[in-house]
Amino acid sequence: LAKTTQPISMDSYEGQEVNITCSHNNIATNDYITWYQQFPSQGPRFIIQGYKTKVTNEVASLFIPADRKSSTLSLPRVSLSDTAVYYCLVGDRGGGFKTIFGAGTRLFVKA
Amino acid sequence: DTEVTQTPKHLVMGMTNKKSLKCEQHMGHRAMYWYKQKAKKPPELMFVYSYEKLSINESVPSRFSPECPNSSLLNLHLHALQPEDSALYLCASSPEGAPGANVLTFGAGSRLTVL
């Protein structure tokens, strides 16, 4: 069971790059790392998923070191609308109940 | 269609009522999930239907009863709930029943208040 640890909250300013790190020391060989964004009173929304090294899409990058014991979500040039809770999720193709959302990181973007 | 639709958006019920939450997706996903989320907490997985086969989180009380009429529809039947069951109930779907490896698409949730 891969337990994840994230900072409880982070502050940033508009236009800055934000990096949120998730620790998952007991990640298994077959586990993937997925990040979700959640706004108040909405369901989480998929941001990015990776297995190793670096993954980039149109909204974010995900950096995963060789030992895979942590991962970093990078949000380039954040705006006020990026204020949300960000969850790191670690799990494999096995049973769903082994995949647990971490406590999440509350990101506040200020003008 | 890339959405998961949940109804109702808000529900208020008494402890003796019977009500249902509904969820629908038309993405051809073969797995559907019910999550419960309390305020300022992460979502907690309650039930998984994968290819219409049910898996249950053993910690979920029997007053919650899921139903999957077909691969596109998911219901959560509620009976004799307690005030502590008040929460946001989220439905999600994925191509297959492995939320760790598959991308989950969530609905907007049903906000339940138990009086």
Side-chain angles (χ1 to χ4, degrees), chain A residues 17-52:
Chain A
E17 178 184 75
V18 171
N19 295 310
I20 306 173
T21 296
C22 179
S23 174
H24 28 81
N25 290 320
N26 60 340
I27 189 169
T29 303
N30 297 327
D31 283 344
Y32 290 77
I33 300 157
T34 311
W35 286 81
Y36 291 86
Q37 175 193 55
Q38 187 177 25
F39 299 111
S41 296
Q42 293 186 27
R45 184 179 73 171
F46 170 78
I47 302 174
I48 197 165
Q49 184 181 69
Y51 180 78
K52 61 180 179 180

PDB file of all heavy atoms in Angstrom, chain A residues 17-52:
ATOM      1  N   GLU A  17       6.252  29.859 -11.284  1.00  0.00           N
ATOM      2  CA  GLU A  17       6.207  28.409 -11.433  1.00  0.00           C
ATOM      3  C   GLU A  17       6.035  27.800 -10.049  1.00  0.00           C
ATOM      4  O   GLU A  17       6.672  28.218  -9.086  1.00  0.00           O
ATOM      5  CB  GLU A  17       7.500  27.892 -12.065  1.00  0.00           C
ATOM      6  CG  GLU A  17       7.542  26.370 -12.207  1.00  0.00           C
ATOM      7  CD  GLU A  17       8.875  25.888 -12.750  1.00  0.00           C
ATOM      8  OE1 GLU A  17       9.865  25.883 -11.966  1.00  0.00           O
ATOM      9  OE2 GLU A  17       8.943  25.514 -13.924  1.00  0.00           O
ATOM     10  N   VAL A  18       5.151  26.817  -9.947  1.00  0.00           N
ATOM     11  CA  VAL A  18       4.894  26.151  -8.674  1.00  0.00           C
ATOM     12  C   VAL A  18       5.273  24.684  -8.788  1.00  0.00           C
ATOM     13  O   VAL A  18       4.893  24.006  -9.753  1.00  0.00           O
ATOM     14  CB  VAL A  18       3.412  26.273  -8.271  1.00  0.00           C
ATOM     15  CG1 VAL A  18       3.105  25.390  -7.066  1.00  0.00           C
ATOM     16  CG2 VAL A  18       3.058  27.717  -7.954  1.00  0.00           C
ATOM     17  N   ASN A  19       6.021  24.228  -7.804  1.00  0.00           N
ATOM     18  CA  ASN A  19       6.406  22.819  -7.741  1.00  0.00           C
ATOM     19  C   ASN A  19       5.847  22.193  -6.471  1.00  0.00           C
ATOM     20  O   ASN A  19       6.126  22.674  -5.373  1.00  0.00           O
ATOM     21  CB  ASN A  19       7.932  22.676  -7.767  1.00  0.00           C
ATOM     22  CG  ASN A  19       8.526  23.158  -9.072  1.00  0.00           C
ATOM     23  OD1 ASN A  19       8.081  22.781 -10.146  1.00  0.00           O
ATOM     24  ND2 ASN A  19       9.541  24.013  -8.977  1.00  0.00           N
ATOM     25  N   ILE A  20       5.072  21.154  -6.620  1.00  0.00           N
ATOM     26  CA  ILE A  20       4.493  20.435  -5.477  1.00  0.00           C
ATOM     27  C   ILE A  20       5.069  19.033  -5.469  1.00  0.00           C
ATOM     28  O   ILE A  20       4.943  18.290  -6.451  1.00  0.00           O
ATOM     29  CB  ILE A  20       2.959  20.363  -5.566  1.00  0.00           C
ATOM     30  CG1 ILE A  20       2.355  21.761  -5.734  1.00  0.00           C
ATOM     31  CG2 ILE A  20       2.386  19.694  -4.313  1.00  0.00           C
ATOM     32  CD1 ILE A  20       0.850  21.750  -5.991  1.00  0.00           C
ATOM     33  N   THR A  21       5.687  18.664  -4.349  1.00  0.00           N
ATOM     34  CA  THR A  21       6.334  17.363  -4.258  1.00  0.00           C
ATOM     35  C   THR A  21       5.500  16.391  -3.446  1.00  0.00           C
ATOM     36  O   THR A  21       4.905  16.752  -2.425  1.00  0.00           O
ATOM     37  CB  THR A  21       7.729  17.503  -3.633  1.00  0.00           C
ATOM     38  OG1 THR A  21       8.542  18.295  -4.502  1.00  0.00           O
ATOM     39  CG2 THR A  21       8.388  16.137  -3.456  1.00  0.00           C
ATOM     40  N   CYS A  22       5.451  15.175  -3.906  1.00  0.00           N
ATOM     41  CA  CYS A  22       4.744  14.088  -3.223  1.00  0.00           C
ATOM     42  C   CYS A  22       5.771  13.008  -2.890  1.00  0.00           C
ATOM     43  O   CYS A  22       6.547  12.588  -3.760  1.00  0.00           O
ATOM     44  CB  CYS A  22       3.658  13.532  -4.141  1.00  0.00           C
ATOM     45  SG  CYS A  22       2.705  12.168  -3.464  1.00  0.00           S
ATOM     46  N   SER A  23       5.762  12.592  -1.638  1.00  0.00           N
ATOM     47  CA  SER A  23       6.670  11.539  -1.202  1.00  0.00           C
ATOM     48  C   SER A  23       5.919  10.212  -1.160  1.00  0.00           C
ATOM     49  O   SER A  23       4.820  10.136  -0.603  1.00  0.00           O
ATOM     50  CB  SER A  23       7.220  11.883   0.183  1.00  0.00           C
ATOM     51  OG  SER A  23       7.985  10.829   0.699  1.00  0.00           O
ATOM     52  N   HIS A  24       6.510   9.189  -1.754  1.00  0.00           N
ATOM     53  CA  HIS A  24       5.888   7.849  -1.751  1.00  0.00           C
ATOM     54  C   HIS A  24       7.002   6.825  -1.630  1.00  0.00           C
ATOM     55  O   HIS A  24       7.366   6.153  -2.593  1.00  0.00           O
ATOM     56  CB  HIS A  24       5.030   7.611  -2.999  1.00  0.00           C
ATOM     57  CG  HIS A  24       5.447   8.373  -4.217  1.00  0.00           C
ATOM     58  ND1 HIS A  24       6.478   7.983  -5.042  1.00  0.00           N
ATOM     59  CD2 HIS A  24       4.953   9.521  -4.733  1.00  0.00           C
ATOM     60  CE1 HIS A  24       6.595   8.849  -6.020  1.00  0.00           C
ATOM     61  NE2 HIS A  24       5.693   9.792  -5.875  1.00  0.00           N
ATOM     62  N   ASN A  25       7.544   6.722  -0.403  1.00  0.00           N
ATOM     63  CA  ASN A  25       8.740   5.921  -0.159  1.00  0.00           C
ATOM     64  C   ASN A  25       8.578   4.438  -0.463  1.00  0.00           C
ATOM     65  O   ASN A  25       9.547   3.769  -0.802  1.00  0.00           O
ATOM     66  CB  ASN A  25       9.196   6.104   1.295  1.00  0.00           C
ATOM     67  CG  ASN A  25       9.763   7.487   1.537  1.00  0.00           C
ATOM     68  OD1 ASN A  25      10.469   8.028   0.702  1.00  0.00           O
ATOM     69  ND2 ASN A  25       9.434   8.060   2.681  1.00  0.00           N
ATOM     70  N   ASN A  26       7.370   3.898  -0.290  1.00  0.00           N
ATOM     71  CA  ASN A  26       7.194   2.454  -0.507  1.00  0.00           C
ATOM     72  C   ASN A  26       6.469   2.157  -1.808  1.00  0.00           C
ATOM     73  O   ASN A  26       5.711   1.194  -1.903  1.00  0.00           O
ATOM     74  CB  ASN A  26       6.471   1.809   0.681  1.00  0.00           C
ATOM     75  CG  ASN A  26       5.094   2.411   0.902  1.00  0.00           C
ATOM     76  OD1 ASN A  26       4.815   3.506   0.444  1.00  0.00           O
ATOM     77  ND2 ASN A  26       4.240   1.701   1.611  1.00  0.00           N
ATOM     78  N   ILE A  27       6.717   2.976  -2.814  1.00  0.00           N
ATOM     79  CA  ILE A  27       6.096   2.758  -4.119  1.00  0.00           C
ATOM     80  C   ILE A  27       6.550   1.411  -4.672  1.00  0.00           C
ATOM     81  O   ILE A  27       7.703   1.010  -4.524  1.00  0.00           O
ATOM     82  CB  ILE A  27       6.442   3.912  -5.091  1.00  0.00           C
ATOM     83  CG1 ILE A  27       5.632   3.806  -6.369  1.00  0.00           C
ATOM     84  CG2 ILE A  27       7.938   3.961  -5.369  1.00  0.00           C
ATOM     85  CD1 ILE A  27       5.721   5.040  -7.251  1.00  0.00           C
ATOM     86  N   ALA A  28       5.610   0.687  -5.294  1.00  0.00           N
ATOM     87  CA  ALA A  28       5.915  -0.630  -5.843  1.00  0.00           C
ATOM     88  C   ALA A  28       6.321  -0.519  -7.305  1.00  0.00           C
ATOM     89  O   ALA A  28       6.053   0.481  -7.976  1.00  0.00           O
ATOM     90  CB  ALA A  28       4.697  -1.543  -5.703  1.00  0.00           C
ATOM     91  N   THR A  29       6.949  -1.576  -7.788  1.00  0.00           N
ATOM     92  CA  THR A  29       7.470  -1.584  -9.154  1.00  0.00           C
ATOM     93  C   THR A  29       6.404  -1.258 -10.195  1.00  0.00           C
ATOM     94  O   THR A  29       6.668  -0.566 -11.176  1.00  0.00           O
ATOM     95  CB  THR A  29       8.088  -2.957  -9.471  1.00  0.00           C
ATOM     96  OG1 THR A  29       9.103  -3.245  -8.512  1.00  0.00           O
ATOM     97  CG2 THR A  29       8.674  -2.985 -10.875  1.00  0.00           C
ATOM     98  N   ASN A  30       5.190  -1.739  -9.989  1.00  0.00           N
ATOM     99  CA  ASN A  30       4.142  -1.580 -10.988  1.00  0.00           C
ATOM    100  C   ASN A  30       3.256  -0.350 -10.771  1.00  0.00           C
ATOM    101  O   ASN A  30       2.284  -0.161 -11.505  1.00  0.00           O
ATOM    102  CB  ASN A  30       3.237  -2.818 -11.007  1.00  0.00           C
ATOM    103  CG  ASN A  30       3.992  -4.061 -11.422  1.00  0.00           C
ATOM    104  OD1 ASN A  30       4.911  -3.994 -12.236  1.00  0.00           O
ATOM    105  ND2 ASN A  30       3.630  -5.194 -10.852  1.00  0.00           N
ATOM    106  N   ASP A  31       3.591   0.464  -9.782  1.00  0.00           N
ATOM    107  CA  ASP A  31       2.750   1.620  -9.461  1.00  0.00           C
ATOM    108  C   ASP A  31       2.962   2.771 -10.435  1.00  0.00           C
ATOM    109  O   ASP A  31       4.093   3.055 -10.845  1.00  0.00           O
ATOM    110  CB  ASP A  31       3.037   2.132  -8.047  1.00  0.00           C
ATOM    111  CG  ASP A  31       2.416   1.265  -6.973  1.00  0.00           C
ATOM    112  OD1 ASP A  31       1.517   0.454  -7.298  1.00  0.00           O
ATOM    113  OD2 ASP A  31       2.808   1.413  -5.806  1.00  0.00           O
ATOM    114  N   TYR A  32       1.873   3.443 -10.762  1.00  0.00           N
ATOM    115  CA  TYR A  32       1.888   4.674 -11.517  1.00  0.00           C
ATOM    116  C   TYR A  32       1.657   5.842 -10.549  1.00  0.00           C
ATOM    117  O   TYR A  32       1.141   5.660  -9.445  1.00  0.00           O
ATOM    118  CB  TYR A  32       0.785   4.680 -12.578  1.00  0.00           C
ATOM    119  CG  TYR A  32       1.026   3.719 -13.702  1.00  0.00           C
ATOM    120  CD1 TYR A  32       0.797   2.353 -13.546  1.00  0.00           C
ATOM    121  CD2 TYR A  32       1.490   4.159 -14.933  1.00  0.00           C
ATOM    122  CE1 TYR A  32       1.018   1.462 -14.567  1.00  0.00           C
ATOM    123  CE2 TYR A  32       1.721   3.275 -15.970  1.00  0.00           C
ATOM    124  CZ  TYR A  32       1.485   1.926 -15.780  1.00  0.00           C
ATOM    125  OH  TYR A  32       1.708   1.045 -16.795  1.00  0.00           O
ATOM    126  N   ILE A  33       2.018   7.037 -10.993  1.00  0.00           N
ATOM    127  CA  ILE A  33       1.828   8.246 -10.189  1.00  0.00           C
ATOM    128  C   ILE A  33       0.911   9.174 -10.982  1.00  0.00           C
ATOM    129  O   ILE A  33       1.190   9.495 -12.147  1.00  0.00           O
ATOM    130  CB  ILE A  33       3.170   8.946  -9.920  1.00  0.00           C
ATOM    131  CG1 ILE A  33       4.104   7.995  -9.173  1.00  0.00           C
ATOM    132  CG2 ILE A  33       2.947  10.229  -9.126  1.00  0.00           C
ATOM    133  CD1 ILE A  33       5.573   8.338  -9.332  1.00  0.00           C
ATOM    134  N   THR A  34      -0.177   9.582 -10.346  1.00  0.00           N
ATOM    135  CA  THR A  34      -1.173  10.408 -11.020  1.00  0.00           C
ATOM    136  C   THR A  34      -1.511  11.614 -10.145  1.00  0.00           C
ATOM    137  O   THR A  34      -1.604  11.486  -8.925  1.00  0.00           O
ATOM    138  CB  THR A  34      -2.465   9.606 -11.285  1.00  0.00           C
ATOM    139  OG1 THR A  34      -2.147   8.349 -11.878  1.00  0.00           O
ATOM    140  CG2 THR A  34      -3.397  10.370 -12.220  1.00  0.00           C
ATOM    141  N   TRP A  35      -1.671  12.758 -10.763  1.00  0.00           N
ATOM    142  CA  TRP A  35      -2.032  13.980 -10.046  1.00  0.00           C
ATOM    143  C   TRP A  35      -3.396  14.466 -10.513  1.00  0.00           C
ATOM    144  O   TRP A  35      -3.714  14.447 -11.709  1.00  0.00           O
ATOM    145  CB  TRP A  35      -0.995  15.074 -10.285  1.00  0.00           C
ATOM    146  CG  TRP A  35       0.283  14.850  -9.542  1.00  0.00           C
ATOM    147  CD1 TRP A  35       1.316  14.030  -9.901  1.00  0.00           C
ATOM    148  CD2 TRP A  35       0.679  15.470  -8.312  1.00  0.00           C
ATOM    149  NE1 TRP A  35       2.322  14.094  -8.963  1.00  0.00           N
ATOM    150  CE2 TRP A  35       1.956  14.974  -7.987  1.00  0.00           C
ATOM    151  CE3 TRP A  35       0.074  16.399  -7.464  1.00  0.00           C
ATOM    152  CZ2 TRP A  35       2.649  15.380  -6.836  1.00  0.00           C
ATOM    153  CZ3 TRP A  35       0.757  16.806  -6.323  1.00  0.00           C
ATOM    154  CH2 TRP A  35       2.027  16.292  -6.021  1.00  0.00           C
ATOM    155  N   TYR A  36      -4.179  14.902  -9.519  1.00  0.00           N
ATOM    156  CA  TYR A  36      -5.509  15.458  -9.775  1.00  0.00           C
ATOM    157  C   TYR A  36      -5.617  16.834  -9.135  1.00  0.00           C
ATOM    158  O   TYR A  36      -4.971  17.129  -8.131  1.00  0.00           O
ATOM    159  CB  TYR A  36      -6.599  14.549  -9.188  1.00  0.00           C
ATOM    160  CG  TYR A  36      -6.753  13.228  -9.898  1.00  0.00           C
ATOM    161  CD1 TYR A  36      -5.968  12.143  -9.552  1.00  0.00           C
ATOM    162  CD2 TYR A  36      -7.677  13.080 -10.931  1.00  0.00           C
ATOM    163  CE1 TYR A  36      -6.093  10.929 -10.219  1.00  0.00           C
ATOM    164  CE2 TYR A  36      -7.813  11.866 -11.597  1.00  0.00           C
ATOM    165  CZ  TYR A  36      -7.011  10.802 -11.238  1.00  0.00           C
ATOM    166  OH  TYR A  36      -7.150   9.612 -11.903  1.00  0.00           O
ATOM    167  N   GLN A  37      -6.473  17.667  -9.720  1.00  0.00           N
ATOM    168  CA  GLN A  37      -6.777  19.003  -9.220  1.00  0.00           C
ATOM    169  C   GLN A  37      -8.241  19.031  -8.811  1.00  0.00           C
ATOM    170  O   GLN A  37      -9.098  18.491  -9.534  1.00  0.00           O
ATOM    171  CB  GLN A  37      -6.526  20.029 -10.329  1.00  0.00           C
ATOM    172  CG  GLN A  37      -6.913  21.452 -10.013  1.00  0.00           C
ATOM    173  CD  GLN A  37      -6.919  22.300 -11.288  1.00  0.00           C
ATOM    174  OE1 GLN A  37      -7.588  21.989 -12.271  1.00  0.00           O
ATOM    175  NE2 GLN A  37      -6.140  23.374 -11.292  1.00  0.00           N
ATOM    176  N   GLN A  38      -8.532  19.651  -7.683  1.00  0.00           N
ATOM    177  CA  GLN A  38      -9.920  19.742  -7.257  1.00  0.00           C
ATOM    178  C   GLN A  38     -10.260  21.144  -6.787  1.00  0.00           C
ATOM    179  O   GLN A  38      -9.581  21.699  -5.908  1.00  0.00           O
ATOM    180  CB  GLN A  38     -10.241  18.734  -6.144  1.00  0.00           C
ATOM    181  CG  GLN A  38     -11.730  18.696  -5.803  1.00  0.00           C
ATOM    182  CD  GLN A  38     -12.087  17.651  -4.755  1.00  0.00           C
ATOM    183  OE1 GLN A  38     -11.263  17.264  -3.940  1.00  0.00           O
ATOM    184  NE2 GLN A  38     -13.327  17.186  -4.790  1.00  0.00           N
ATOM    185  N   PHE A  39     -11.327  21.699  -7.367  1.00  0.00           N
ATOM    186  CA  PHE A  39     -11.894  22.967  -6.922  1.00  0.00           C
ATOM    187  C   PHE A  39     -13.016  22.685  -5.932  1.00  0.00           C
ATOM    188  O   PHE A  39     -13.594  21.583  -5.944  1.00  0.00           O
ATOM    189  CB  PHE A  39     -12.428  23.769  -8.112  1.00  0.00           C
ATOM    190  CG  PHE A  39     -11.375  24.118  -9.132  1.00  0.00           C
ATOM    191  CD1 PHE A  39     -11.381  23.548 -10.387  1.00  0.00           C
ATOM    192  CD2 PHE A  39     -10.368  25.019  -8.819  1.00  0.00           C
ATOM    193  CE1 PHE A  39     -10.411  23.865 -11.325  1.00  0.00           C
ATOM    194  CE2 PHE A  39      -9.390  25.338  -9.746  1.00  0.00           C
ATOM    195  CZ  PHE A  39      -9.408  24.749 -11.006  1.00  0.00           C
ATOM    196  N   PRO A  40     -13.348  23.660  -5.083  1.00  0.00           N
ATOM    197  CA  PRO A  40     -14.422  23.442  -4.091  1.00  0.00           C
ATOM    198  C   PRO A  40     -15.725  22.989  -4.731  1.00  0.00           C
ATOM    199  O   PRO A  40     -16.134  23.503  -5.766  1.00  0.00           O
ATOM    200  CB  PRO A  40     -14.561  24.818  -3.440  1.00  0.00           C
ATOM    201  CG  PRO A  40     -13.234  25.466  -3.611  1.00  0.00           C
ATOM    202  CD  PRO A  40     -12.727  24.983  -4.932  1.00  0.00           C
ATOM    203  N   SER A  41     -16.344  21.994  -4.119  1.00  0.00           N
ATOM    204  CA  SER A  41     -17.646  21.459  -4.542  1.00  0.00           C
ATOM    205  C   SER A  41     -17.634  20.927  -5.981  1.00  0.00           C
ATOM    206  O   SER A  41     -18.660  20.952  -6.666  1.00  0.00           O
ATOM    207  CB  SER A  41     -18.738  22.522  -4.386  1.00  0.00           C
ATOM    208  OG  SER A  41     -18.898  22.862  -3.028  1.00  0.00           O
ATOM    209  N   GLN A  42     -16.476  20.471  -6.439  1.00  0.00           N
ATOM    210  CA  GLN A  42     -16.388  19.801  -7.735  1.00  0.00           C
ATOM    211  C   GLN A  42     -15.619  18.498  -7.566  1.00  0.00           C
ATOM    212  O   GLN A  42     -14.924  18.308  -6.562  1.00  0.00           O
ATOM    213  CB  GLN A  42     -15.667  20.677  -8.762  1.00  0.00           C
ATOM    214  CG  GLN A  42     -16.415  21.925  -9.161  1.00  0.00           C
ATOM    215  CD  GLN A  42     -15.713  22.654 -10.292  1.00  0.00           C
ATOM    216  OE1 GLN A  42     -14.997  22.051 -11.097  1.00  0.00           O
ATOM    217  NE2 GLN A  42     -15.914  23.953 -10.376  1.00  0.00           N
ATOM    218  N   GLY A  43     -15.737  17.611  -8.548  1.00  0.00           N
ATOM    219  CA  GLY A  43     -14.938  16.405  -8.515  1.00  0.00           C
ATOM    220  C   GLY A  43     -13.505  16.675  -8.935  1.00  0.00           C
ATOM    221  O   GLY A  43     -13.235  17.642  -9.654  1.00  0.00           O
ATOM    222  N   PRO A  44     -12.559  15.846  -8.488  1.00  0.00           N
ATOM    223  CA  PRO A  44     -11.175  15.995  -8.935  1.00  0.00           C
ATOM    224  C   PRO A  44     -11.074  15.872 -10.453  1.00  0.00           C
ATOM    225  O   PRO A  44     -11.858  15.164 -11.089  1.00  0.00           O
ATOM    226  CB  PRO A  44     -10.452  14.839  -8.238  1.00  0.00           C
ATOM    227  CG  PRO A  44     -11.287  14.528  -7.037  1.00  0.00           C
ATOM    228  CD  PRO A  44     -12.699  14.773  -7.491  1.00  0.00           C
ATOM    229  N   ARG A  45     -10.078  16.575 -10.994  1.00  0.00           N
ATOM    230  CA  ARG A  45      -9.862  16.548 -12.436  1.00  0.00           C
ATOM    231  C   ARG A  45      -8.443  16.087 -12.700  1.00  0.00           C
ATOM    232  O   ARG A  45      -7.488  16.568 -12.073  1.00  0.00           O
ATOM    233  CB  ARG A  45     -10.092  17.939 -13.038  1.00  0.00           C
ATOM    234  CG  ARG A  45      -9.992  18.013 -14.543  1.00  0.00           C
ATOM    235  CD  ARG A  45     -10.266  19.419 -15.027  1.00  0.00           C
ATOM    236  NE  ARG A  45      -9.163  20.330 -14.721  1.00  0.00           N
ATOM    237  CZ  ARG A  45      -9.086  21.575 -15.191  1.00  0.00           C
ATOM    238  NH1 ARG A  45     -10.019  22.036 -15.976  1.00  0.00           N
ATOM    239  NH2 ARG A  45      -8.074  22.326 -14.848  1.00  0.00           N
ATOM    240  N   PHE A  46      -8.260  15.160 -13.634  1.00  0.00           N
ATOM    241  CA  PHE A  46      -6.955  14.626 -13.983  1.00  0.00           C
ATOM    242  C   PHE A  46      -6.039  15.727 -14.518  1.00  0.00           C
ATOM    243  O   PHE A  46      -6.443  16.567 -15.330  1.00  0.00           O
ATOM    244  CB  PHE A  46      -7.122  13.539 -15.046  1.00  0.00           C
ATOM    245  CG  PHE A  46      -5.828  13.067 -15.664  1.00  0.00           C
ATOM    246  CD1 PHE A  46      -5.013  12.185 -14.996  1.00  0.00           C
ATOM    247  CD2 PHE A  46      -5.452  13.515 -16.927  1.00  0.00           C
ATOM    248  CE1 PHE A  46      -3.832  11.742 -15.567  1.00  0.00           C
ATOM    249  CE2 PHE A  46      -4.274  13.092 -17.509  1.00  0.00           C
ATOM    250  CZ  PHE A  46      -3.459  12.191 -16.826  1.00  0.00           C
ATOM    251  N   ILE A  47      -4.785  15.708 -14.023  1.00  0.00           N
ATOM    252  CA  ILE A  47      -3.783  16.643 -14.541  1.00  0.00           C
ATOM    253  C   ILE A  47      -2.753  15.904 -15.375  1.00  0.00           C
ATOM    254  O   ILE A  47      -2.519  16.229 -16.535  1.00  0.00           O
ATOM    255  CB  ILE A  47      -3.049  17.382 -13.402  1.00  0.00           C
ATOM    256  CG1 ILE A  47      -4.029  18.149 -12.508  1.00  0.00           C
ATOM    257  CG2 ILE A  47      -2.011  18.343 -13.986  1.00  0.00           C
ATOM    258  CD1 ILE A  47      -3.344  18.775 -11.299  1.00  0.00           C
ATOM    259  N   ILE A  48      -2.089  14.903 -14.762  1.00  0.00           N
ATOM    260  CA  ILE A  48      -0.982  14.262 -15.441  1.00  0.00           C
ATOM    261  C   ILE A  48      -0.694  12.927 -14.768  1.00  0.00           C
ATOM    262  O   ILE A  48      -0.999  12.745 -13.579  1.00  0.00           O
ATOM    263  CB  ILE A  48       0.266  15.181 -15.411  1.00  0.00           C
ATOM    264  CG1 ILE A  48       1.300  14.762 -16.446  1.00  0.00           C
ATOM    265  CG2 ILE A  48       0.868  15.265 -14.010  1.00  0.00           C
ATOM    266  CD1 ILE A  48       2.373  15.833 -16.696  1.00  0.00           C
ATOM    267  N   GLN A  49      -0.125  12.002 -15.539  1.00  0.00           N
ATOM    268  CA  GLN A  49       0.244  10.684 -15.010  1.00  0.00           C
ATOM    269  C   GLN A  49       1.611  10.291 -15.551  1.00  0.00           C
ATOM    270  O   GLN A  49       1.929  10.599 -16.712  1.00  0.00           O
ATOM    271  CB  GLN A  49      -0.789   9.631 -15.414  1.00  0.00           C
ATOM    272  CG  GLN A  49      -0.544   8.242 -14.823  1.00  0.00           C
ATOM    273  CD  GLN A  49      -1.582   7.223 -15.268  1.00  0.00           C
ATOM    274  OE1 GLN A  49      -1.640   6.833 -16.435  1.00  0.00           O
ATOM    275  NE2 GLN A  49      -2.419   6.799 -14.329  1.00  0.00           N
ATOM    276  N   GLY A  50       2.396   9.613 -14.702  1.00  0.00           N
ATOM    277  CA  GLY A  50       3.695   9.151 -15.151  1.00  0.00           C
ATOM    278  C   GLY A  50       4.137   7.896 -14.435  1.00  0.00           C
ATOM    279  O   GLY A  50       3.539   7.503 -13.410  1.00  0.00           O
ATOM    280  N   TYR A  51       5.185   7.280 -14.968  1.00  0.00           N
ATOM    281  CA  TYR A  51       5.763   6.085 -14.333  1.00  0.00           C
ATOM    282  C   TYR A  51       7.217   6.360 -13.926  1.00  0.00           C
ATOM    283  O   TYR A  51       7.628   6.000 -12.827  1.00  0.00           O
ATOM    284  CB  TYR A  51       5.700   4.906 -15.283  1.00  0.00           C
ATOM    285  CG  TYR A  51       6.264   3.639 -14.697  1.00  0.00           C
ATOM    286  CD1 TYR A  51       5.535   2.882 -13.788  1.00  0.00           C
ATOM    287  CD2 TYR A  51       7.549   3.206 -15.031  1.00  0.00           C
ATOM    288  CE1 TYR A  51       6.058   1.737 -13.225  1.00  0.00           C
ATOM    289  CE2 TYR A  51       8.081   2.054 -14.482  1.00  0.00           C
ATOM    290  CZ  TYR A  51       7.331   1.329 -13.581  1.00  0.00           C
ATOM    291  OH  TYR A  51       7.860   0.186 -13.015  1.00  0.00           O
ATOM    292  N   LYS A  52       7.983   6.974 -14.810  1.00  0.00           N
ATOM    293  CA  LYS A  52       9.360   7.324 -14.487  1.00  0.00           C
ATOM    294  C   LYS A  52       9.796   8.510 -15.341  1.00  0.00           C
ATOM    295  O   LYS A  52       9.096   8.907 -16.269  1.00  0.00           O
ATOM    296  CB  LYS A  52      10.293   6.144 -14.705  1.00  0.00           C
ATOM    297  CG  LYS A  52      10.336   5.649 -16.140  1.00  0.00           C
ATOM    298  CD  LYS A  52      11.294   4.471 -16.247  1.00  0.00           C
ATOM    299  CE  LYS A  52      11.340   3.945 -17.674  1.00  0.00           C
ATOM    300  NZ  LYS A  52      12.280   2.778 -17.791  1.00  0.00           N
TER     301      LYS A  52
END
